[in-house]
Amino acid sequence: MEAPPDRERLEEGDIPQREESQGKDPAGLSGPSTDSCISSSTTASRFLQVELELNARLRMMSFGKPVRYTYNPLEYAWDPHQCYVDTYCRGGQSILFLGMNPGPFGMAQTGVPFGEVKAVRNWLKITGRVGRPADEHPKRRITGLDCTQSEVVTALGVSLVIGVGKVSEQRARRALAEAGINVRVEGIMHPSPRNPLANKGWANIVRAKLEELGLLSLLNR
């Protein structure tokens, strides 16, 4: 498995092009990509550091039945994730999209939030090697940026937080309220295939909501 860089090195402000990892990951990759993006953004460095700290906590968690498989794309898909953060995580933004549960053919494959494979590879121009979780579900194989399956996903880039799905919207409202942060929170429908409404024109529903919020024009810039 390709592991993220050491937390200590991030704390020193060094987000390097990753070095050879010890051993091989389940996909047979001998080490990190030699052409992965290199951080030049202080904002990106801080963001990556927070993610590594949270990942360290996640590794301490264990699950019993009925949980059989756990996927953490910030572990096995760190290369493209770091490339995405280094490239697009910049200061001065006014809108934050907040989601949950990486989709099986989105972030679970690419390491990029709301990361439908074709959009990540062809539009965002994200590169990097993707390994595999130690234990894969036979129907949820990780093939990374070579994945040919797709989800109904779209995303925009903080005076406004957009929760993708009711749970994200509610959690954002609660977290911001508890922190005493006065930020407007809105929500759009989650694109999960398990959502019956999402299978009946999710794109048009979300487009109408974004237009209502005055955000649709931002997608056309």
Side-chain angles (χ1 to χ4, degrees):
M1 182 181 296
E2 295 187 4
D6 293 339
R7 174 183 166 188
E8 289 78 8
R9 300 172 73 180
L10 284 176
E11 291 174 342
E12 296 171 358
D14 177 22
I15 308 292
Q17 184 170 337
R18 296 190 299 132
E19 301 169 354
E20 288 288 323
S21 60
Q22 298 181 3
K24 293 185 178 182
D25 66 19
L29 300 177
S30 59
S33 172
T34 58
D35 59 353
S36 60
C37 298
I38 301 175
S39 172
S40 60
S41 166
T42 301
T43 300
S45 298
R46 291 198 301 264
F47 187 85
L48 289 167
Q49 178 178 327
V50 170
E51 289 188 306
L52 292 181
E53 293 171 351
L54 293 175
N55 259 350
R57 297 181 185 181
L58 285 175
R59 292 190 198 103
M60 299 172 64
M61 298 180 66
S62 60
F63 302 91
K65 294 181 179 180
V67 177
R68 174 68 173 81
Y69 305 93
T70 59
Y71 286 48
N72 183 356
L74 298 191
E75 294 281 359
Y76 61 80
W78 179 262
D79 261 356
H81 179 77
Q82 179 181 336
C83 182
Y84 168 75
V85 173
D86 283 342
T87 304
Y88 295 103
C89 184
R90 305 169 183 170
Q93 306 303 314
S94 59
I95 300 170
L96 172 68
F97 274 68
L98 181 67
M100 59 173 287
N101 294 352
F105 309 121
M107 186 176 179
Q109 298 289 340
T110 65
V112 176
F114 310 106
E116 196 274 336
V117 178
K118 289 183 180 178
V120 167
R121 186 180 61 227
N122 302 332
W123 186 49
L124 296 178
K125 306 298 184 184
I126 298 300
T127 61
R129 294 187 180 188
V130 178
R132 297 203 303 265
D135 195 9
E136 287 183 290
H137 191 289
K139 295 183 179 180
R140 289 291 183 267
R141 297 296 187 185
I142 298 300
T143 55
L145 297 177
D146 294 324
C147 181
T148 59
Q149 293 177 278
S150 182
E151 294 181 332
V152 183
V153 181
T154 188
L156 181 64
V158 170
S159 57
L160 174 61
V161 172
I162 306 292
V164 182
K166 281 293 184 184
V167 173
S168 293
E169 179 184 351
Q170 292 168 357
R171 291 292 177 88
R173 291 184 187 279
R174 187 175 72 182
L176 291 169
E178 290 177 353
I181 300 174
N182 185 22
V183 174
R184 179 184 174 195
V185 178
E186 297 287 350
I188 60 176
M189 181 186 296
H190 195 285
S192 170
R194 295 186 177 184
N195 180 353
L197 292 178
N199 295 320
K200 298 179 180 179
W202 178 87
N204 290 333
I205 294 172
V206 171
R207 181 180 294 271
K209 181 63 175 181
L210 292 173
E211 187 170 18
E212 174 189 328
L213 296 174
L215 302 177
L216 189 59
S217 61
L218 297 176
L219 291 170
N220 299 319
R221 287 183 176 178

